[in-house]
Amino acid sequence: MIESWRWYGPFDPITLPEVAQTGAAGIVHALHEVPYGEVWTNDAIAARKAEITGAGFTWDVAESLPIHEAVKRGEGDLSTLFANYRQSMANLAANGIRTICYNFMPLLDWTRTDLRAPLARGGSCLRFDASRMAAFEIHMLGRAGAEDEYSQDVRNKAAIWFQQSSESDREALLHAIMSGLPGAFDRYDIAGLRDVLQSYEGIDRDTLRANYKRFLQEVVPAAEDLGMVFCVHPDDPPRDILGLPRIVSDGDDIDWILSAVDSPANGLTLCSGSLGANPANDVPAIAARFANKIRFGHLRNVRKEPDGSFEEAAHLEGDTDMVALADVFVTEEARRREAGEDFASIPVRPDHGHEILSDIGAKSVPGYPMIGRLRGLAELRGVFRALEYAATRG
């Protein structure tokens, strides 16, 4: 495995010299300051790569090269957006960055209702609370049809929370929901969110799939020519949000994507936390099913609740058997090396982390504290080393 670390560049209070002390070898990074749809220039990529390599790292994955919302909606003349995307790909490849992680989630990236939910033994974690999300959709946003998507018990709790909440409570909830958009991305107030949701009116699951397939048809051949790989990140959480369809939520969705454009360049980011939030998903089994298509790994764990809520667990705790999942990665990497395949080594990173110890009050990017991820990386490193040792012993 290539032990990697997500770094947000100018938006990250954690410095590269600090990351170096974690033992990670690679950096996962994006030019978050570039607006969606614009070209990542060769000069900007080269400058950032020089900063990363100058600190003793490799830049292993571009995460994410974002997709403009017009592409997801399939609206208007998209030729310039597709051309810009391919040019950004070419500029990354020219700088030796050949793996691109991306997602096709409409409007919002990962979604949480609490950025610092308290943990029993101290510290905090990211949390998705179904009743707070229902309160937001039903009582704050007033989205038509939202009531039908939640159980009566969740709706009752949502009404109580809303009645008892202060204006600052509601502002904090909106802020949390918007916080999955890092860097120079748009944030919305309630009125703005209502307006932008209208732009998705009439776009159902089939329409979004058709627009996604068109995107793949536009960029995957270019990736093949450039010697690059794409790896789609699953939806987070793996359920419809704000009435918008999510189409990368389980094994069948992944199978459709990888079959839509059958190519070695069309691959998967195996995110154990995103897939793990769906009670129907057996994450190690999904990883084994698509092992030869995994190009990147996000390793984290979640603890689910019956009403659809979940929160981030420690990396070796939670509902996903992380040792079984790590074994899939070790086995697949060994197979690739034996076969002499390109991209044999899989970049993996500890995804998210608890805010603990000196993380508390450090104002890190939500979900990306220093000590919590360092704990996760150390735990995962131990698992990988033990599995690799066992494999060599037969």
Side-chain angles (χ1 to χ4, degrees):
M1 303 305 131
I2 303 173
E3 294 181 5
S4 302
W5 188 273
R6 189 170 191 181
W7 180 63
Y8 284 92
F11 300 98
D12 203 327
I14 299 171
T15 67
L16 288 174
E18 289 173 325
V19 176
Q21 297 176 55
T22 70
I27 290 295
V28 174
H29 181 66
L31 301 184
H32 294 296
E33 63 272 24
V34 179
Y36 284 10
E38 295 188 11
V39 173
W40 289 14
T41 67
N42 185 76
D43 287 348
I45 294 167
R48 192 59 52 82
K49 182 181 178 181
E51 185 177 0
I52 290 168
T53 57
F57 297 97
T58 53
W59 182 356
D60 293 317
V61 181
E63 183 188 351
S64 297
L65 182 57
I67 301 167
H68 196 279
E69 294 301 313
V71 172
K72 298 174 189 176
R73 292 190 293 259
E75 65 182 16
D77 181 1
L78 299 176
S79 57
T80 298
L81 288 175
F82 286 132
N84 286 354
Y85 202 95
R86 288 190 292 264
Q87 186 61 58
S88 295
M89 292 166 55
N91 293 341
L92 284 165
N95 283 277
I97 302 152
R98 300 198 298 147
T99 300
I100 296 175
C101 174
Y102 72 99
N103 72 70
F104 212 79
M105 290 181 264
L107 194 60
L108 295 180
D109 205 323
W110 58 265
T111 304
R112 300 292 186 273
T113 59
D114 299 86
L115 300 181
R116 291 177 176 86
L119 294 164
R121 301 185 69 180
S124 64
C125 69
L126 297 176
R127 177 175 171 80
F128 180 90
D129 187 281
S131 61
R132 290 196 185 189
M133 193 69 200
F136 179 79
E137 293 207 69
I138 297 168
H139 300 287
M140 293 174 59
L141 192 61
R143 183 175 70 82
E147 298 93 336
D148 298 334
E149 298 175 12
Y150 295 94
S151 69
Q152 185 63 55
D153 180 59
V154 168
R155 294 200 302 270
N156 291 342
K157 291 178 180 177
I160 292 170
W161 181 89
F162 182 74
Q163 291 163 5
Q164 296 178 346
S165 64
S166 65
E167 188 62 31
S168 63
D169 292 332
R170 297 170 193 173
E171 289 175 358
L173 179 57
L174 174 63
H175 172 71
I177 291 170
M178 291 293 108
S179 289
L181 301 175
F185 297 85
D186 291 331
R187 266 72 170 179
Y188 304 102
D189 58 16
I190 293 295
L193 186 55
R194 289 187 184 122
D195 288 342
V196 76
L197 283 173
Q198 288 183 355
S199 68
Y200 273 92
E201 194 73 31
I203 295 180
D204 58 13
R205 178 180 177 85
D206 289 340
T207 304
L208 191 61
R209 269 190 167 185
N211 296 341
Y212 187 7
K213 184 173 183 178
R214 179 184 177 188
F215 167 76
L216 291 173
Q217 290 170 333
E218 291 280 351
V219 301
V220 170
E224 292 175 346
D225 292 341
L226 293 166
M228 306 182 81
V229 289
F230 269 86
C231 38
V232 62
H233 187 287
D235 301 328
D236 186 10
R239 48 157 289 176
D240 292 357
I241 292 288
L242 302 176
L244 302 174
R246 295 292 184 98
I247 57 172
V248 195
S249 294
D250 58 25
D252 289 343
D253 288 342
I254 293 168
D255 184 62
W256 180 88
I257 293 160
L258 299 179
S259 300
V261 176
D262 186 9
S263 165
N266 185 18
L268 172 66
T269 296
L270 196 290
C271 179
S272 56
S274 297
L275 292 170
N278 183 341
N281 286 340
D282 180 334
V283 180
I286 290 174
R289 178 180 175 187
F290 302 107
N292 68 326
K293 288 288 193 172
I294 296 173
R295 300 300 184 186
F296 184 28
H298 286 187
L299 300 182
R300 61 182 173 89
N301 224 321
V302 296
R303 184 174 292 108
K304 299 182 288 294
E305 299 168 23
D307 68 355
S309 302
F310 64 90
E311 66 182 27
E312 308 281 356
H315 287 76
L316 300 188
E317 300 173 8
D319 297 335
T320 295
D321 185 340
M322 195 62 70
V323 176
L325 178 60
D327 193 41
V328 174
F329 278 74
V330 169
T331 302
E332 173 60 18
E333 195 171 83
R335 184 200 66 78
R336 294 180 191 183
R337 288 204 179 102
E338 180 69 22
E341 292 185 8
D342 198 9
F343 298 98
S345 296
I346 304 173
V348 297
R349 66 173 178 84
D351 195 16
H352 296 179
H354 291 167
E355 284 195 352
I356 54 176
L357 303 173
S358 59
D359 291 331
I360 299 170
K363 298 182 180 179
S364 57
V365 175
Y368 292 90
M370 182 70 183
I371 305 302
R373 283 189 290 164
L374 173 58
R375 174 188 171 182
L377 178 59
E379 292 176 341
L380 293 167
R381 178 182 294 140
V383 170
F384 280 123
R385 296 285 174 83
L387 290 169
E388 288 163 354
Y389 177 80
T392 63
R393 302 277 290 188

